[in-house]
């Protein structure tokens, strides 16, 4: 059985270190694990209950919900913006939390990792993302964490997939995440 993990990257910037971290996870995923990096968060409108109705759900929201529903687990990659998670990631969580009690994240094993410019690697943003996905109904996997500090200098000339310490950290998180996927 292949475990399918959907990666949501909270940075839309070309050359994002968190996007590169997601690429490293996909490239170095253990045998039996496949990671898809979701593209499309930029097209997702801000959550608005007025447009989250049976006849008006935006197609971008439907695509995101379907992609998460089809995955066995979710892995969020969060930078830290002004001490918290980026709006694009929070917005995706909001769309995935609905309908209340039956959203696409309901009981879905979900972990959060990331890298940031500061000395703590985005731990505040990651903690906020864990809180939000937990409230949204996900099964938060948080016994193994990965927050990589000083992204601008650490990854200035090295892609995260070439950083042995980063790859080892990703493996630990992926092992923990896949261990929380129910057997088929």
């Amino acid at each position: 059985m292949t475990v399918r993990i959907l990666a949501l990257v909270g940075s839309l910037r070309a050359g994002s270190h968190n996007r590169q971290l997601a690429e490293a996870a996909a490239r170095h995923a253990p045998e039996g694990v496949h990671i898809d990096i979701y593209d499309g968060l930029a097209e997702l409108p801000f959550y608005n209950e007025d447009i989250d109705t049976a006849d008006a759900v935006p197609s971008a929201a439907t695509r995101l919900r379907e992609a998460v529903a089809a995955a066995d687990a979710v892995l969020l990659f969060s930078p830290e913006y002004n001490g918290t998670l980026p709006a694009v990631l929070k917005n995706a969580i909001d769309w995935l939390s609905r309908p209340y009690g039956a959203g696409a994240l309901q009981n879905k094993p979900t972990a959060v990792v990331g890298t940031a410019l500061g000395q703590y690697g985005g731990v505040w943003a990651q903690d906020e993302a864990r809180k939000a996905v937990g409230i949204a109904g996900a099964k938060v996997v948080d016994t193994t964490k990965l927050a990589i500090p000083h992204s601008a200098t650490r990854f200035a000339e090295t892609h995260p997939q070439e950083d042995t310490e980063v790859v080892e950290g990703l493996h630990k998180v992926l092992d923990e995440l896949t261990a929380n996927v129910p057997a088929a």
Side-chain angles (χ1 to χ4, degrees), residues 8-184:
L8 301 180
V9 180
S11 174
L12 303 177
R13 183 178 65 84
S16 158
H17 295 122
N18 279 281
R19 173 67 184 217
Q20 291 176 7
L21 192 60
E23 292 167 355
R27 180 172 181 186
H28 294 288
E31 188 173 330
V33 175
H34 178 77
I35 299 175
D36 283 316
I37 302 171
Y38 187 81
D39 288 315
L41 293 185
E43 289 78 40
L44 196 61
F46 281 110
Y47 184 79
N48 178 342
E49 201 169 358
D50 291 341
I51 61 172
D52 190 10
T53 62
D55 58 342
V57 176
S59 60
T62 299
R63 282 192 308 277
L64 175 63
R65 287 172 172 169
E66 289 172 350
V68 169
D72 298 309
V74 176
L75 184 55
L76 305 179
F77 292 83
S78 184
E80 188 168 275
Y81 294 173
N82 299 312
T84 192
L85 72 157
V88 68
L89 195 54
K90 175 63 168 70
N91 187 47
I93 293 167
D94 290 344
W95 277 105
L96 293 167
S97 72
R98 304 287 192 225
Y100 179 76
L105 284 171
Q106 196 65 38
N107 297 316
K108 187 79 60 174
T110 304
V112 182
V113 299
T115 186
L117 180 63
Q119 66 181 340
Y120 301 113
V123 294
W124 290 345
Q126 291 178 34
D127 287 345
E128 290 294 319
R130 284 185 199 94
K131 175 183 169 187
V133 296
I135 291 169
K139 178 182 179 183
V140 178
V141 176
D142 64 356
T143 53
T144 302
K145 299 178 181 180
L146 182 62
I148 304 161
H150 308 295
S151 59
T153 53
R154 183 164 188 163
F155 303 125
E157 296 181 19
T158 303
H159 192 288
Q161 68 190 8
E162 297 165 0
D163 185 314
T164 304
E165 183 182 2
V166 169
V167 172
E168 288 173 4
L170 287 168
H171 273 239
K172 289 177 184 174
V173 171
L174 291 170
D175 288 346
E176 174 97 14
L177 185 57
T178 56
N180 278 275
V181 172

